[in-house]
Amino acid sequence: MGRGGAPDTDGNDAAPLLASTVSSSGAKNRKNPVTGKPETYGGSSEFQEDDPNLYMGVPKSELLNTPEEGLSETEASHRLTRFGYNKLREKEENIWWKLFLEFVQPMPLMIWAAIAIETLEAFLKSSRGEDSSDSWIDVVVLVILQLLNVLVGFIEELKAGDAIAALRESLKPEATVKRGGRVYNMDATELVPGDIVCLGAGGAIPADCILREGKPIQVDQAALTGESLPVTMHAGAEAKMGSTVTRGEIEATVSATGSQTFFGKTADLVQGVDELGHFEKVLREIMIILVAAGSIICFIVFCYLLNIGVDFWEVLAFNVVLLVASIPIALRVVCTTTLALGCHELAAEKAIVARLSSVEELAGMTILCSDKTGTLTLNKMMLQEDLPIFVKGLNRDDVLQLAALAAKWWEPPKDALDTLVLNAVDIRTLNDYDQTDYMPFDPTIKRTESTVVNKKTGKGMKVTKGAPNVVLDMCDNKAQVAAQVESKVMELAHRGIRSLAVARTVGSPNGPLEFVGILTFLDPPRPDTKHTIDCADDFGVAVKMITGDHKAIAVETCRVLGMGTNVLGTDKLPLMQAQDLEKCTTLGRDYGELCRGADGFAQVYPEHKYLIVEALRQQGFLVGMTGDGVNDAPALKRADVGIAVQGATNAAQAAADIVLTEPGLSTIVTAIVTSRKIFQRMKNFVIYRIACTEQLLLFFFWSCIFYHPSEYNEDWPSYFYIPVIALVTITILNDGTIISVAYDNVHASQLPEKWDLNILYIVSSAIGMTALLSSLILLSYALSSVDPNSSWAAMGLPQLSYGEIQCLMYLKISLSDYFSVFNSRCKGWMWTRAPSVVLVGAFILATFASTMLSVYWPFGNGMEGISWALAFYVWMYVMFWAIVQDAAKVLTYAVLQNIGWVKSVDVIDEAALKRSRDQLFDVQIG
């Protein structure tokens, strides 16, 4: 793929050929037979002929016969109109079918069962000539519960999906294309068949491409084939869209775009399901425990009520609805809403989430392995005046020109070093040379090389630039200059200055290679890096630097940033093959302690980065990894939280869980704080829901079996219960309150978060059992109201009918549930942290509705509304017990901390953190 060295292919007929082909086939204006709209995503299946020589009706031999200078802009525009954008056809889901499926999930099926039972009971009552209006009211309210549960969850999930899609869309893919002899970057969606693209290490392959003449490249096709090792491809091979170049550089001709690509045709096979990680597992475990407990209790109640002669259908309906009411139906809604809101918050902090579960995992991250260049440092090399030369007769400009010749100077620079070198020379002087061969930078050999021929003299030479130790070992004059070179490199490294060696052949490309000189660069730390690392350390996250640079430079950088100076080289870590690393389960045992004790690692290869991350993971740490290059991609993929920094290669972005859109690490600290707040909301929700379930289930278990209203009044039933309609209204209002937890004000923990369900169950029980006790006490007093000598009467409270007692307990249980939200919000007293407006609004709405229903009960079923005075007394009673519940919770946490089960952890002072960050940037601006 030599510049000016390969013969041009005659491509003058490309545009007329396409025009005539389109015209004769009549395909240009062909429309989708279903939608009636023009195809806009790389064609449709109607063009997928069996003839391998045709591409959407056009002969491939003519379509892909692109001249060396590439397509003209006019021809590219014609082809874009004809073949459509290079986008995968988005799968259009039938929203109504998706909504239907939501109604047949396990939880909705339980509600359908309750509706069916109530409906059957209503028909049976009608057939016996009895009044069935109460049963029909139950049916209607159950249907409302079903609709609310499904529709709210469905809408929240749609909103979350739209939000994630919009965030991902903001990561626009780019491609380097050659058109009309000009090489430039463009939106990859505008590529067309026949375009010439430049593929290089770290870049994703933007469309199906046929490699042109050049040196072989290595391509990672794991996303398509599952192969863990890169595949070597030579000229003429077809590289598939969705693959990533891991080594080498070559030009290629686009052979298919959009839905016509291999990836496009098999997209459904390679798209994975977005897992919800640890939180989903926690929710499933909680669901299993609550369903099991609820089922056991309901079975006991069912058997007991049948035994005392209660109607079978009435017992069945009551038990099914009790089970429905006790199980947190809104689990998925809260989970989706909380994480989706978290994605929005992180996006506002310049962190785009590609995998939902990474939000929760970021909250628990304990170690962050960070790439140095471009993450901890500016990645804006400053060329130093100091340029040691080891060949007589050459000056500074000569060495800079040789360094520039070891790059593709007519293309956009591939990295920061090339940018700096090319900006330091007069590009016009480089045009006196033809580049006949080129080997791009490879992280495993740490150098780049080109063969150039002087147009004026016809003389050729090879030029290479790269790591000093690598280049020096190759040079024929090593014996003469080794001592000087090594001494100079070490001196520069101790000052934190990077070195780039330049060498050339003498006489001819195959002549002896001589070490010419050393370019010196300074890549200073970002102004906010030290502050960021200090904050991460305060937040319980250990930051470890991983770099391919010289050990002395790594030590100096660590020292400047206050990270510690225990930097290990690769002599302590083995260089294992990819397939061995993936299978090895003893990395933690063999190298975990070594990696944990190190502050940084120097002169590492991609395999070392993977090993370090995996060894720490096997030690039980939640590991984050930041990076920007193709050499970081394997470790990014393996880490619990892979973070691609701003400006990262396509390969790094594809492997990452979170993509930063702002330079540096400061965004990560903000993201950690945000993720811990999200985690806290989810934990509060779990405590609240378990407490509510305990109160509801155990209250009806206890009241049905151990309370006998007929002993107080012979006209009352032999067991206490409240109608199905009351249970359903509690469930509806509960679910509304639960969703508001996702919007609550919380504080981020100073240390990484983790799930400890045993502690959550203990704390939930402290709240739930106290609420249960208060309910049973009130029920005992209310039932005794018929006795003029009872404590109830002594307090001047009125005698109650059975229907009024039912309404009284309905209001009490409802209010206790809503106050439990505030009990579960913090470890201290509930008034120590102000709730959000949304949470307070949901509380007011739910409690107002419950109070109005208890006073003006409209649904019959034997329940009678209570007086406003009695409702006021219930409010006072519940508020008093809410404080008792809070005291029980505070005492429980104190006991758990005293015995060492729970640590006393401070919260992050976000205001102070913001002030320190603002001051830092003010200093930078000043």
Side-chain angles (χ1 to χ4, degrees):
M1 54 182 258
R3 182 177 184 270
D8 285 354
T9 306
D10 185 9
N12 296 330
D13 294 334
L17 166 69
L18 180 57
S20 63
T21 305
V22 174
S23 176
S24 62
S25 66
K28 179 177 181 179
N29 297 315
R30 190 175 297 190
K31 297 180 178 180
N32 186 301
V34 178
T35 64
K37 297 178 180 180
E39 297 295 340
T40 57
Y41 291 94
S44 69
S45 57
E46 65 176 299
F47 291 111
Q48 296 173 4
E49 303 94 347
D50 293 331
D51 189 347
N53 298 316
L54 295 179
Y55 180 84
M56 295 176 66
V58 181
K60 289 184 179 179
S61 59
E62 299 167 346
L63 183 67
L64 307 182
N65 187 23
T66 308
E68 184 67 22
E69 65 269 15
L71 300 175
S72 67
E73 294 292 347
T74 303
E75 171 63 10
S77 178
H78 283 313
R79 296 190 182 195
L80 185 63
T81 304
R82 168 65 178 85
F83 300 120
Y85 285 93
N86 182 34
K87 293 182 180 179
L88 297 182
R89 184 182 303 282
E90 296 179 1
K91 184 179 179 182
E92 294 184 5
E93 292 184 323
N94 186 317
I95 192 169
W96 299 110
W97 175 250
K98 188 175 181 181
L99 180 60
F100 167 77
L101 292 178
E102 293 294 327
F103 282 101
V104 292
Q105 299 300 314
M107 287 307 303
L109 285 176
M110 290 183 64
I111 301 178
W112 285 127
I115 292 172
I117 292 169
E118 284 291 339
T119 303
L120 184 58
E121 185 181 8
F123 276 118
L124 290 174
K125 284 183 178 179
S126 298
S127 65
R128 295 195 296 262
E130 300 174 10
D131 182 12
S132 61
S133 58
D134 289 346
S135 295
W136 286 117
I137 290 174
D138 290 345
V139 170
V140 171
V141 177
L142 279 169
V143 170
I144 292 173
L145 170 65
Q146 181 77 294
L147 292 175
L148 284 175
N149 174 52
V150 171
L151 291 178
V152 170
F154 182 69
I155 292 169
E156 288 293 338
E157 193 168 280
L158 282 183
K159 285 165 59 180
D162 291 343
I164 298 299
L167 294 174
R168 287 176 175 170
E169 184 66 21
S170 64
L171 298 173
K172 294 289 186 183
E174 282 198 342
T176 303
V177 67
K178 181 194 283 187
R179 287 183 181 173
R182 192 167 63 93
V183 180
Y184 59 95
N185 293 329
M186 62 171 281
D187 186 345
T189 62
E190 296 181 5
L191 288 176
V192 296
D195 257 330
I196 294 179
V197 292
C198 301
L199 306 179
I205 295 174
D208 283 2
C209 303
I210 297 173
L211 304 188
R212 296 169 76 90
E213 288 301 319
K215 289 192 173 182
I217 61 173
Q218 288 195 345
V219 177
D220 180 2
Q221 300 184 116
L224 299 177
T225 65
E227 297 179 43
S228 58
L229 294 177
V231 176
T232 301
M233 292 189 171
H234 301 265
E238 187 169 18
K240 305 296 187 184
M241 179 185 188
S243 303
T244 304
V245 180
T246 59
R247 182 185 297 183
E249 190 171 293
I250 198 170
E251 288 182 352
T253 304
V254 174
S255 59
T257 59
S259 297
Q260 298 299 311
T261 62
F262 175 82
F263 187 80
K265 293 174 182 177
T266 59
D268 290 340
L269 301 178
V270 298
Q271 288 174 354
V273 177
D274 189 15
E275 295 290 337
L276 293 182
H278 294 106
F279 187 45
E280 185 184 23
K281 295 174 184 176
V282 169
L283 292 181
R284 284 178 178 173
E285 184 174 337
I286 292 169
M287 178 70 84
I288 291 171
I289 291 173
L290 294 183
V291 169
S295 299
I296 292 171
I297 288 175
C298 287
F299 178 74
I300 295 172
V301 170
F302 181 83
C303 294
Y304 173 77
L305 294 180
L306 282 182
N307 188 55
I308 62 175
V310 183
D311 179 69
F312 172 82
W313 293 106
E314 185 179 338
V315 173
L316 185 61
F318 175 76
N319 274 272
V320 170
V321 175
L322 177 58
L323 186 60
V324 169
S326 63
I327 296 170
I329 299 174
L331 273 175
R332 183 174 57 82
V333 180
V334 175
C335 178
T336 305
T337 303
T338 305
L339 291 178
L341 284 172
C343 289
H344 277 294
E345 290 184 44
L346 289 173
E349 301 296 343
K350 312 300 182 184
I352 295 177
V353 177
R355 183 172 60 89
L356 274 180
S357 64
S358 60
V359 176
E360 182 255 345
E361 287 161 2
L362 183 62
M365 183 175 69
T366 51
I367 293 179
L368 176 63
C369 298
S370 176
D371 180 47
K372 180 178 76 71
T373 307
T375 304
L376 299 177
T377 62
L378 287 169
N379 197 21
K380 292 182 180 178
M381 295 296 178
M382 300 177 185
L383 188 62
Q384 305 298 292
E385 285 298 319
D386 188 8
L387 198 161
I389 300 172
F390 301 89
V391 175
K392 292 181 180 180
L394 296 182
N395 58 32
R396 176 186 172 86
D397 291 339
D398 294 331
V399 178
L400 286 172
Q401 186 186 59
L402 288 171
L405 288 172
K408 288 193 171 185
W409 62 87
W410 64 93
E411 291 184 2
K414 294 293 188 295
D415 55 40
L417 286 177
D418 276 354
T419 301
L420 209 58
V421 170
L422 293 176
N423 286 339
V425 299
D426 185 352
I427 297 294
R428 291 172 297 180
T429 64
L430 304 179
N431 292 329
D432 292 337
Y433 293 86
D434 268 336
Q435 191 177 89
T436 59
D437 196 10
Y438 179 70
M439 182 183 72
F441 179 80
D442 187 329
T444 59
I445 61 173
K446 299 187 177 181
R447 69 184 182 91
T448 183
E449 180 181 283
S450 69
T451 303
V452 294
V453 177
N454 191 308
K455 294 178 182 178
K456 296 177 181 178
T457 65
K459 291 183 178 180
M461 66 175 170
K462 279 185 179 177
V463 186
T464 185
K465 69 176 187 288
N469 59 318
V470 173
V471 174
L472 181 62
D473 287 340
M474 298 171 55
C475 291
D476 293 281
N477 64 338
K478 176 181 178 181
Q480 291 80 22
V481 300
Q484 291 177 271
V485 171
E486 290 170 356
S487 173
K488 190 65 180 176
V489 169
M490 190 60 65
E491 175 203 332
L492 293 168
H494 283 303
R495 291 159 49 197
I497 297 176
R498 294 182 62 181
S499 305
L500 188 72
V502 180
R504 68 171 182 186
T505 58
V506 180
S508 71
N510 297 320
L513 187 68
E514 66 176 1
F515 197 97
V516 174
I518 299 176
L519 304 185
T520 57
F521 304 90
L522 183 64
D523 181 17
R526 294 182 182 276
D528 62 338
T529 298
K530 189 175 189 314
H531 173 259
T532 299
I533 292 173
D534 291 342
C535 287
D537 188 58
D538 291 341
F539 299 164
V541 179
V543 181
K544 299 183 184 296
M545 185 180 73
I546 304 180
T547 179
D549 267 351
H550 196 281
K551 183 176 178 179
I553 293 177
V555 171
E556 176 64 13
T557 305
C558 282
R559 185 191 65 78
V560 170
L561 296 175
M563 296 174 64
T565 55
N566 182 23
V567 177
L568 301 181
T570 54
D571 54 319
K572 300 288 181 67
L573 300 173
L575 187 60
M576 300 172 65
Q577 296 298 316
Q579 65 268 33
D580 297 329
L581 282 170
E582 290 179 359
K583 297 174 183 176
C584 189
T585 58
T586 60
L587 294 176
R589 182 196 67 193
D590 299 336
Y591 306 104
E593 284 300 317
L594 184 72
C595 294
R596 189 172 67 87
D599 299 311
F601 304 86
Q603 294 176 293
V604 298
Y605 292 105
E607 292 84 355
H608 291 128
K609 295 184 179 183
Y610 186 102
L611 184 149
I612 293 164
V613 168
E614 180 59 15
L616 291 169
R617 289 183 75 249
Q618 289 183 14
Q619 282 265 304
F621 296 101
L622 258 175
V623 182
M625 173 72 196
T626 71
D628 60 351
V630 64
N631 57 327
D632 301 315
L636 287 172
K637 191 77 174 176
R638 191 56 188 156
D640 295 292
V641 186
I643 304 170
V645 299
Q646 191 261 349
T649 61
N650 292 337
Q653 289 187 0
D657 303 311
I658 297 174
V659 180
L660 305 185
T661 59
E662 193 172 80
L665 279 181
S666 58
T667 305
I668 295 180
V669 170
T670 312
I672 289 172
V673 175
T674 303
S675 66
R676 290 184 185 178
K677 290 168 69 176
I678 295 164
F679 187 99
Q680 190 64 45
R681 291 188 186 110
M682 295 191 292
K683 190 161 69 172
N684 294 346
F685 153 67
V686 170
I687 293 173
Y688 158 66
R689 203 56 187 89
I690 294 175
C692 288
T693 299
E694 285 183 354
Q695 181 192 199
L696 197 65
L697 262 180
L698 294 178
F699 173 78
F700 286 105
F701 170 75
W702 207 265
S703 64
C704 280
I705 295 179
F706 298 104
Y707 280 76
H708 307 291
S710 57
E711 294 178 359
Y712 298 88
N713 187 325
E714 60 183 15
D715 295 328
W716 291 355
S718 57
Y719 68 99
F720 181 81
Y721 71 99
I722 63 174
V724 167
I725 182 70
L727 284 174
V728 173
T729 54
I730 289 175
T731 302
I732 291 174
L733 294 173
N734 257 352
D735 286 353
T737 310
I738 287 174
I739 294 172
S740 68
V741 172
Y743 299 82
D744 191 21
N745 290 330
V746 292
H747 293 320
S749 169
Q750 187 82 22
L751 296 178
E753 295 276 15
K754 64 178 180 179
W755 290 106
D756 190 336
L757 290 185
N758 292 329
I759 298 300
L760 296 188
Y761 290 138
I762 293 172
V763 175
S764 299
S765 297
I767 299 171
M769 291 302 182
T770 307
L772 170 65
L773 177 63
S774 65
S775 296
L776 293 175
I777 291 173
L778 182 63
L779 177 60
S780 298
Y781 276 109
L783 289 173
S784 67
S785 66
V786 294
D787 182 0
N789 299 317
S790 65
S791 299
W792 182 275
M795 290 185 286
L797 297 174
Q799 181 176 331
L800 301 177
S801 66
Y802 183 72
E804 288 176 320
I805 295 175
Q806 286 179 311
C807 261
L808 178 82
M809 295 313 302
Y810 162 77
L811 179 60
K812 194 279 167 189
I813 293 170
S814 298
L815 294 180
S816 287
D817 275 357
Y818 308 140
F819 273 99
S820 295
V821 174
F822 298 100
N823 295 138
S824 64
R825 293 181 62 250
C826 47
K827 291 182 179 179
W829 294 98
M830 58 182 171
W831 51 78
T832 57
R833 186 173 74 242
S836 69
V837 175
V838 175
L839 184 63
V840 173
F843 169 80
I844 293 172
L845 178 64
T847 52
F848 175 77
S850 297
T851 305
M852 294 298 290
L853 286 173
S854 66
V855 174
Y856 304 106
W857 184 256
F859 303 121
N861 278 270
M863 291 177 66
E864 301 173 28
I866 59 176
S867 66
W868 276 105
L870 193 55
F872 174 76
Y873 291 138
V874 174
W875 264 88
M876 293 298 101
Y877 181 80
V878 171
M879 289 173 69
F880 167 77
W881 276 97
I883 297 174
V884 176
Q885 288 170 209
D886 217 41
K889 174 203 67 180
V890 171
L891 179 61
T892 301
Y893 271 121
V895 172
L896 291 173
Q897 288 176 6
N898 188 53
I899 62 178
W901 287 12
V902 173
K903 292 182 180 179
S904 178
V905 180
D906 293 332
V907 295
I908 295 173
D909 188 341
E910 293 184 62
L913 182 64
K914 186 177 185 304
R915 282 196 304 269
S916 63
R917 188 178 179 186
D918 290 344
Q919 288 171 3
L920 185 68
F921 283 105
D922 287 343
V923 170
Q924 292 176 42
I925 295 170

